Amino acid sequence: MKNPEAQQDVSVSQGVRMMFYMMKPNETSFQTPEEVPDYVKKATPFFISFMLLELVISWVCKGKPLSRVDDVLTSLSAGILSRLPSLFFRSIEVTSYIYIWENYRFFSLPWDSPWTWYLTFLGVDFAYYWFHRMAHEVNIIWAGHQVHHSSEDYNLSTALRQSVLQIYTSWIEPSASHMGVPHMCQIFYSPMALFIPPSVYAVHLQFNLLYQFWIHTEIINNLGPLELILNTPSHHRVHHGKNRYCIDKNYGGTLIIWDRIFGTFEAEKERVIYGLTHPINTFDPLRVQFHHLFYIWTTFWATPGFFHKFSVIFKGPGWGPGKPRLGLSEEIPEVTGKEVLFSSSASQLLKIYTVVQFAVMLAFYEETFSNTAALSQVTLLLRVLFIILTLTSIGFLLDQRPKAAIMETLRCLVILMLYRFGHIKPLVPALSFVFENYTAIIYTDTEKLNCYGMRVNLQHEDSRVWIFIPNSRPHVPTHI
């Protein structure tokens, strides 16, 4: 048995190799699930490094970045929202997989055998293919998965655009979150629990996820013979396309052989246009997450007949009365190649402001996850609500929503209130005095975000806190 403490550190070499599923069995074999490192959490610096590398390469080779600030912030916001539920389920340790293993397994394969390791690699990828396919072919599960497909760009940040709903729309129990792995539909993975140890399964569930990060890029074209076996950037670009030839194709996680076997493979042909077939045109993270669920709700009540209502939920997203289970391909909007990407009309200064606020929130988010055990449930809940408020406010600013300035002002006031009652603290203790005299400046456009010019005077013990939102015309300050 290996010492759990010895498994906590991942070297740079191991970190790079785990992103490409190139770790060796003798490096990643553990007797118990508790010994399995949180590889996904340890991959965070590699996520950032790879995204920066992609930015540099695209700038050098194409003269411009492949990503847009508004789209990247929305993708990262979705990733953050998808992880927030795990803050409240960290005490749950027994998954349905472990339950089946402990009570119903037929026999036990050796946890330290390379044969067990490679068999689990195939089993997890095979199960992922069917789970992923179901996420596209069952409307209620698509309500969660569509978040990942909502970006009109295709870059490494797109890989982090995940759904907060998928753990609830996939018959998932909120366990295994302590391992930092995604919650997958246990109906496909559970059969492996009859003979494959949970520790081996936990390793491959993470590696299968990590492998799919690097294939979200346009800077890698064709990988030659590897295209026959592996899921590659070219194959996955097809999966993210809204061209008719791309719809419901290439579901594989690490291997593309399952798509070739089951008839869902499609090679990359003409230029792929990314995003949903019916664009949602928003950077509001909550609308990105929940818009399709609202669509199902309204369609459910508008559709007559019990069986038709049932079909709205459990048949494909394109289904309607009198149509095939997955809908009609001719109803998918034709791609012309002249599509205009939805972009924020916010000024560059306002975009810089949103990036700075997002970076501060991200540091606060990481600090919250690092100190979860030391925080009360009330503090944890308030912090989560503040994170959601911050992400929503950023989305409002990028969308140039009429209430954006009011929401951002409210967010700044919430910061002060949370600090006043001890639920947050400055990330740098030396800045406590500055924080008490905190000044937030929001830059607004005179027609879209300029309607509100106000100065809020709050009395905080012996110090005064000023929040000022300027507009282009003079006004009489209002004291509150």
Side-chain angles (χ1 to χ4, degrees), residues 136 162 284 389:
H136 280 255
Q162 300 295 329
D284 177 355
L389 176 62

Side-chain angles (χ1 to χ4, degrees), residues 456-467:
V456 181
N457 176 10
L458 294 179
Q459 188 72 31
H460 172 56
E461 296 181 356
D462 294 328
S463 59
R464 287 178 180 272
V465 182
W466 298 90
I467 298 176

Side-chain angles (χ1 to χ4, degrees), residues 75-285:
S75 293
L76 297 180
S77 296
I80 288 172
L81 287 174
S82 71
R83 286 197 65 200
L84 292 180
S86 66
L87 284 170
F88 302 99
F89 301 124
R90 298 175 75 85
S91 62
I92 300 177
E93 298 180 355
V94 181
T95 68
S96 59
Y97 188 97
I98 295 176
Y99 178 83
I100 294 173
W101 165 262
E102 292 179 343
N103 294 278
Y104 300 106
R105 68 178 181 266
F106 297 153
F107 55 90
S108 303
L109 294 178
W111 62 269
D112 55 352
S113 168
W115 291 106
T116 303
W117 198 93
Y118 288 113
L119 178 63
T120 309
F121 160 71
L122 291 174
V124 167
D125 202 58
F126 178 74
Y128 176 82
Y129 168 85
W130 286 106
F131 161 75
H132 193 186
R133 183 168 176 174
M134 185 178 72
H136 280 255
E137 296 185 356
V138 177
N139 204 16
I140 190 63
I141 305 180
W142 172 249
H145 188 61
Q146 58 82 28
V147 174
H148 182 62
H149 285 263
S150 62
S151 174
E152 294 183 317
D153 290 341
Y154 188 77
N155 51 63
L156 294 178
S157 72
T158 309
L160 304 179
R161 185 180 286 226
Q162 300 295 329
S163 170
V164 71
L165 281 178
Q166 197 153 297
I167 62 173
Y168 307 110
T169 56
S170 305
W171 312 335
I172 314 302
E173 59 173 300
S175 48
S177 59
H178 66 289
M179 295 185 288
V181 299
H183 306 276
M184 301 295 189
C185 189
Q186 294 295 332
I187 191 173
F188 296 113
Y189 293 90
S190 294
M192 290 188 293
L194 299 175
F195 53 93
I196 291 176
S199 60
V200 187
Y201 165 76
V203 166
H204 286 279
L205 197 59
Q206 295 187 78
F207 286 167
N208 188 276
L209 173 71
L210 292 175
Y211 177 89
Q212 295 178 58
F213 175 75
W214 74 273
I215 62 177
H216 290 82
T217 185
E218 289 187 297
I219 65 175
I220 299 175
N221 292 322
N222 190 285
L223 294 179
L226 294 178
E227 302 279 344
L228 298 174
I229 302 173
L230 297 177
N231 190 14
T232 64
S234 176
H235 296 328
H236 206 58
R237 284 194 290 269
V238 171
H239 179 71
H240 273 258
K242 61 180 179 180
N243 313 54
R244 286 185 180 178
Y245 85 93
C246 298
I247 301 299
D248 295 339
K249 301 295 182 182
N250 300 358
Y251 295 116
T254 303
L255 302 174
I256 201 65
I257 58 174
W258 314 120
D259 290 282
R260 295 183 184 277
I261 292 172
F262 297 109
T264 53
F265 173 75
E266 189 68 50
E268 190 174 18
K269 299 173 184 175
E270 68 261 21
R271 176 171 169 256
V272 177
I273 305 299
Y274 307 108
L276 301 173
T277 57
H278 297 86
I280 54 177
N281 294 338
T282 183
F283 298 111
D284 177 355

Side-chain angles (χ1 to χ4, degrees), residues 433-449:
F433 176 77
V434 177
F435 193 88
E436 290 188 4
N437 294 276
Y438 179 83
T439 300
I441 300 177
I442 302 173
Y443 295 94
T444 60
D445 185 287
T446 57
E447 280 302 320
K448 294 172 182 174
L449 293 179

